[in-house]
Amino acid sequence: MVKIAILGYGVVGSGVAEVLQMNQAQIAKRAGENIEVKYVMDLRDLSGDPAEKLLVKDFTIIENDPEVTIVVESIGGETIAYDFAKRALLSGKSVCTPNKALMAKYGAELLALAAEKGVALLFEASVGGGIPLIRPFNDALLTDEIETVSGILNGTSNYILTEMSENGTSYAQALKNAQELGYAEQDPTADVGGFDACRKLSILLSLATGKQVDYEEILTEGIDKISTEDFIFASELGFTLKQIVNGRICKNGVEAITAPFLVPLGHPMSTVNEAYNAAWVKCKAADNVMLYGSGAGKYPTASAVISNIVDAVGAKYTSFVWSAEKMPVLPSDAYVKSKVIRVSCDNPSELLKSVKAEKSITLEKYPNFAAWLTAPQTETETAAVIAEVKKLPGFKSVEQVLRVFSE
Ligand code: HSE
């Protein structure tokens, strides 16, 4: 019998307890032993919940109990979670966590500690929710040379964008739905602001390079300024709109960005909808690999955490190469992307005669908007184009500038 403790009994923590109960026989068969939750730690009293009888409020009880060999850290964040994860490892317990904030900030340090203590630190659910992603990435793809790592890695923002685009749902209503469905973080700022996806990108790039890629250095933009018109103009130009992470491994650093991107219709990433996630990885030999599945939510995330618990029980995991040495994020001017620029003006057809466009459109429904697709260009070049456009007769305002996805 393996005894575990669950820290944080929110959406994921309670999901882990439920799925352990629900799939007990199958899990025991895979692990070779029964797995029992001995403690649940939470700030609340959990009155009436079956976990009430397992509730402890003091981490030292768990830390000092030699019977507990695995700790599930599902508190979230990077403060208390870091303290407890570190203390669990120091006391010789394996840690399984879906916590991307913890791993993005302290991954290198905690992995080194786990190796020193001869225990596991496993974080399958930290990127891509229920998708088996970290394991194939670390085990299979890293035997190849990874060139680019892209993806849709935030279920909440992908759900919101899909709802806005497919069903005309307002941004506010779609966000409320995402919260009710258990996709969004308690404070959804990290979801809609791109910071959650950016941390996930930093984890994948740190694994891909074996060095620490600091998420704070990644250019990050959220979906909060996306409007209905953006979807309409995107579709007319042959794109869909997605919150994308985009990383390229270069000799002297990584290019890395998290932002709303236009994805060409027909690209496999354009079909990733609702709370589904996908990682799109380009390798030297394997070429393009897409890992796709449920990216958020109670049970998909719990399933990934439990797969880690089973791995920890059987010590069936490969080691991670992720040192504290920094891998620099290259200046944002390194991103060469086509852009779709949309401006408001008096006479769109007239204004479009003066811009350098690969493709341009005006729409009858929006008599004051002009939109065009530029050739691939740097951020500085785009800023220069916009500065010139602002001088054109009839120009009123820049409504939107969106990058076009390319590996
Ligand atoms: N809030 C996260 C998301 C949960 O929406 O993707 C999974 O990490």
Side-chain angles (χ1 to χ4, degrees), residues 12 98 100 125-130 153-159 178 182-186 188 190-191 196-197 200 275 277 295-297 301:
V12 180
K100 50 266 165 161
S126 67
V127 184
L153 294 181
N154 182 263
T156 302
S157 44
N158 202 42
Y159 173 85
Y183 302 149
E185 302 299 312
Q186 260 178 354
D191 293 302
D196 176 82
K200 291 166 176 168
N277 277 194
T301 312

